[in-house]
Amino acid sequence: QLPIEPSEFKLWLHLFRARLYLVAGDAKALRREVKDALSSTTLPVPTTSSLPGASVDHTALSPPPTLQLSVPQRQALFLKAQLECERSNFRKAAKLLVSAGTGAEVSADVRVMFLNNMGCLHHSLSK
């Protein structure tokens, strides 16, 4: 019996390839690998307790509804945020970082990665 499922192995392979493309500076291949990694796994649907028909402000950088993300899904979102930062799309990068790095179940190491990436993002914006 295999210690890891083939689908999970494929997901991790996409993530490692994406990291290599990030270091190499190949944005097109990085975008393709992150897209493949996110499509190979199903992201959970956010759970909200808002009433139907309530207005939602999508422009604010408030934390999204609670998501139960796995470790590879969080890593894929962090990589996608780094890609958007390289493409100078800082607002989208911040939204991706907030969705990957917030929540009640976030461990300390994920919180450190989130704060480090947000610090780099703010440095890029000269804030």
Side-chain angles (χ1 to χ4, degrees), residues 2-110:
L2 295 175
I4 188 170
E5 294 293 323
S7 61
E8 189 177 352
F9 176 75
K10 192 173 182 180
L11 173 63
W12 283 105
L13 188 62
H14 283 303
L15 291 174
F16 285 125
R17 281 186 192 157
R19 286 189 199 123
L20 289 175
Y21 290 136
L22 179 67
V23 171
D26 191 356
K28 185 177 179 181
L30 171 62
R31 185 180 51 138
R32 185 179 58 239
E33 285 298 329
V34 170
K35 182 179 176 183
D36 290 342
L38 287 173
S39 67
S40 68
T41 181
T42 57
L43 287 173
V45 177
T47 58
T48 60
S49 61
S50 62
L51 297 173
S55 63
V56 178
D57 183 16
H58 293 288
T59 60
L61 287 177
S62 61
T66 305
L67 295 176
Q68 298 294 328
L69 296 173
S70 66
V71 172
Q73 290 170 337
R74 285 190 195 280
Q75 288 182 1
L77 287 175
F78 275 115
L79 285 169
K80 192 171 183 180
Q82 288 177 351
L83 171 66
E84 293 299 330
C85 199
E86 279 190 10
R87 296 173 67 193
S88 298
N89 196 351
F90 300 115
R91 186 162 180 81
K92 187 171 183 181
K95 286 183 180 182
L96 287 167
L97 284 175
V98 168
S99 67
T102 58
E105 76 286 346
V106 174
S107 61
D109 55 347
V110 173

